[in-house]
Amino acid sequence: MMDNVGGSSSNIAENSGIIREQDRLLPIANVGKIMKQILPPNAKISKESKETMQECVSEFISFVTSEASEKCRKERRKTVNGDDICWALGSLGFDDYAEPLRRYLQRYREQELDRANNPPKRG
Amino acid sequence: MPGKADTDDWRVERGEQIQFQSSIYSHHQPWRCGVGENASKSSSADQLNGSIVNGITRSETNDKSGEGVAKEYQNIKHAVLSTPFTMDKHLAPNPQMELVGHSVVLTSPYSDAQHGQILTTYGQQVMINPQLYGMYHARMPLPPEMEEEPVYVNAKQYHGILRRRQSRAKAELEKKVIKNRKPYLHESRHLHAMRRARGNGGRFLNKKKLENYNSDATSDIGQNTGANPSTNSPNTQHLFTNNENLGSSNASQATVQDMHRVESFNIGYHNGNGLAELYHSQANGKKEGNCFGKERDPNNGAFK
């Protein structure tokens, strides 16, 4: 009992001052699944590869998001929306990604409108 | 003749780039002139990256002229503002800094190939859009932190990279970033996995194999009666195997924290694609396993 209590209190103190792994990085299983989509069925991915890709994609998300957030800060807006992300990709030189993402965002909004106009029936 | 012409164009672009950089730094920061000199000294190394620079330079011809000029001014301002960041960086060096440079360098070849294709498609636009003076300096040297030589990055990403460096340095000072990864996230799940029966190669035994294992075994294995009957995917088995190999353990956690993390864990799974339902069912199975684990406590006490 005493050991458990001490352990839990130390964990609470430790967690309050630390950025947890799951808050800083994408889930490694999801990263592995996305990497597997582009590979042949019998290919294997080492854990080191997944961890390296996990670090890279998490940093890329923070990189693009900080660019979009800076734009919102200058325009005195608090919400970062999809258009800001597309603009950020373009301003950072990722024009090849910005255009497909705009089309994706357009279709996503059309889909949301369809859902709003035709709510699913209950029961 | 065409190859030779390309070489001449590259040399002209590099010369103008160096001149422009030296003029910028001479106006704002005297010590940045050294950076310019380093750039000129490393011209032999830049020749290797000539194709990358040319590719990125061509891609910028599609940009609007106004945005280009404004962005250049922003870069200059941010370069001036980055001076205190440099001092701060010396106090607390960030090990992730090289990752940024490395990832940026890796991005360039891919974008170069893509931009080559764009040139083929939009040849007319290239002819129509006049090249601005600002388009020649596609590469800007980052202020040197720990590297011996300056790292050249895309000019559009210059201030973004500096901002991210500040954010990481701030996180480093305010909070302690976990550098060593935990082998598992939840103590209770780890304990449950350690209690499960394993067969040859360290893989978990499913219900059928467990019955065979119990029937074949001469001694009574009471601890295995509460094993999770559901079948696990190979990935999950692999993860648990890694957990066993690492063998490290943390102190036990409060029940409230476990419940909170389980909820966050499920939320993470909901964000997945079609496999979310499968993992959700597995999560429920794991919860049931936890219940069995709790029930086993009196037995463990009896053994003690």
Side-chain angles (χ1 to χ4, degrees):
Chain A
M1 288 300 293
M2 293 302 297
D3 291 341
N4 291 334
V5 172
S8 63
S9 65
S10 69
N11 281 336
I12 292 171
E14 186 180 358
N15 289 331
S16 63
I18 285 180
I19 297 176
R20 299 184 304 174
E21 177 182 326
Q22 57 265 36
D23 292 338
R24 186 174 68 91
L25 300 170
L26 290 177
I28 192 166
N30 297 71
V31 172
K33 275 183 276 182
I34 293 170
M35 294 171 73
K36 189 169 287 188
Q37 288 175 6
I38 201 69
L39 296 174
N42 60 350
K44 290 187 172 65
I45 306 171
S46 69
K47 187 170 186 182
E48 188 183 39
S49 302
K50 295 179 190 175
E51 289 181 354
T52 304
M53 187 60 74
Q54 193 185 15
E55 294 275 351
C56 291
V57 299
S58 301
E59 179 59 32
F60 181 74
I61 288 170
S62 301
F63 186 58
V64 175
T65 307
S66 70
E67 183 77 7
S69 175
E70 186 69 13
K71 180 176 189 286
C72 291
R73 189 186 66 81
K74 290 176 180 176
E75 300 178 358
R76 299 181 183 279
R77 290 191 283 111
K78 292 183 176 179
T79 305
V80 178
N81 53 42
D83 293 321
D84 298 325
I85 300 296
C86 295
W87 177 88
L89 286 170
S91 70
L92 291 171
F94 300 109
D95 302 285
D96 299 336
Y97 299 92
E99 188 55 34
L101 193 59
R102 277 196 195 93
R103 285 190 260 110
Y104 176 90
L105 185 60
Q106 183 179 0
R107 292 185 187 178
Y108 178 82
R109 285 171 173 168
E110 291 172 358
Q111 185 178 351
E112 288 294 309
L113 282 179
D114 291 341
R115 281 188 191 176
N117 293 333
N118 302 321
K121 297 180 180 178
R122 292 182 181 178
Chain B
M1 289 301 294
K4 192 172 183 181
D6 291 337
T7 305
D8 292 340
D9 293 338
W10 179 81
R11 289 178 181 176
V12 170
E13 290 174 354
R14 290 300 301 176
E16 292 183 359
Q17 179 175 356
I18 293 170
Q19 291 176 2
F20 189 78
Q21 290 173 1
S22 62
S23 64
I24 292 173
Y25 295 131
S26 63
H27 283 298
H28 294 278
Q29 293 288 340
W31 61 270
R32 293 291 178 90
C33 295
V35 176
E37 292 175 358
N38 291 335
S40 63
K41 289 179 181 177
S42 63
S43 61
S44 61
D46 291 336
Q47 287 178 359
L48 297 176
N49 297 328
S51 61
I52 296 171
V53 174
N54 291 333
I56 292 175
T57 304
R58 292 194 204 98
S59 67
E60 290 183 351
T61 55
N62 296 327
D63 297 335
K64 296 180 180 178
S65 60
E67 287 184 356
V69 174
K71 189 155 294 299
E72 292 303 327
Y73 289 142
Q74 289 180 2
N75 291 340
I76 294 169
K77 286 185 177 180
H78 200 76
V80 174
L81 293 175
S82 66
T83 304
F85 166 73
T86 304
M87 298 174 65
D88 187 22
K89 178 58 68 176
H90 286 295
L91 294 176
N94 193 342
Q96 294 181 1
M97 181 172 54
E98 294 182 358
L99 178 62
V100 173
H102 189 64
S103 63
V104 170
V105 171
L106 285 178
T107 305
S108 298
Y110 176 76
S111 61
D112 185 39
Q114 290 292 325
H115 294 153
Q117 294 179 0
I118 291 173
L119 277 177
T120 306
T121 309
Y122 303 106
Q124 296 179 355
Q125 291 188 3
V126 173
M127 296 296 293
I128 293 169
N129 293 331
Q131 286 193 355
L132 297 177
Y133 178 75
M135 293 294 110
Y136 289 105
H137 47 87
R139 292 300 198 184
M140 295 180 67
L142 281 177
E145 300 295 340
M146 297 181 69
E147 302 95 354
E148 296 177 356
E149 296 181 355
V151 175
Y152 286 87
V153 300
N154 189 333
K156 294 180 173 178
Q157 302 171 10
Y158 179 78
H159 64 284
I161 291 170
L162 292 183
R163 191 192 310 126
R164 280 296 301 158
R165 285 185 175 182
Q166 290 180 6
S167 300
R168 287 199 298 269
K170 188 177 179 183
E172 187 88 12
L173 292 175
E174 288 185 353
K175 298 179 181 177
K176 208 173 185 180
V177 179
I178 297 173
K179 297 179 181 178
N180 295 326
R181 292 164 169 269
K182 298 179 189 175
Y184 50 84
L185 291 178
H186 306 106
E187 178 71 15
S188 59
R189 297 187 178 196
H190 172 67
L191 294 177
H192 167 70
M194 295 299 289
R195 282 193 291 262
R196 290 187 63 183
R198 297 170 188 262
N200 294 331
R203 295 209 164 189
F204 289 130
L205 299 174
N206 56 19
K207 191 171 185 180
K208 294 181 180 178
K209 291 182 180 177
L210 186 62
E211 291 176 353
N212 295 336
Y213 186 76
N214 286 336
S215 62
D216 292 339
T218 56
S219 64
D220 183 12
I221 305 172
Q223 294 180 355
N224 297 328
T225 55
N228 190 350
S230 66
T231 303
N232 291 306
S233 64
N235 291 332
T236 306
Q237 294 176 1
H238 184 66
L239 290 176
F240 285 136
T241 305
N242 287 341
N243 292 337
E244 186 186 25
N245 293 334
L246 289 167
S248 64
S249 63
N250 289 341
S252 63
Q253 298 171 353
T255 306
V256 176
Q257 285 188 351
D258 291 343
M259 293 299 295
H260 178 69
R261 291 186 177 184
V262 167
E263 291 178 359
S264 65
F265 196 58
N266 290 333
I267 292 169
Y269 276 136
H270 283 301
N271 293 332
N273 48 12
L275 293 175
E277 293 181 358
L278 178 61
Y279 279 87
H280 188 66
S281 62
Q282 287 185 358
N284 289 333
K286 291 174 183 176
K287 289 182 180 178
E288 293 175 357
N290 292 339
C291 295
F292 285 114
K294 290 181 180 178
E295 290 178 358
R296 266 177 277 167
D297 287 340
N299 296 331
N300 293 333
F303 283 113
K304 291 180 180 179

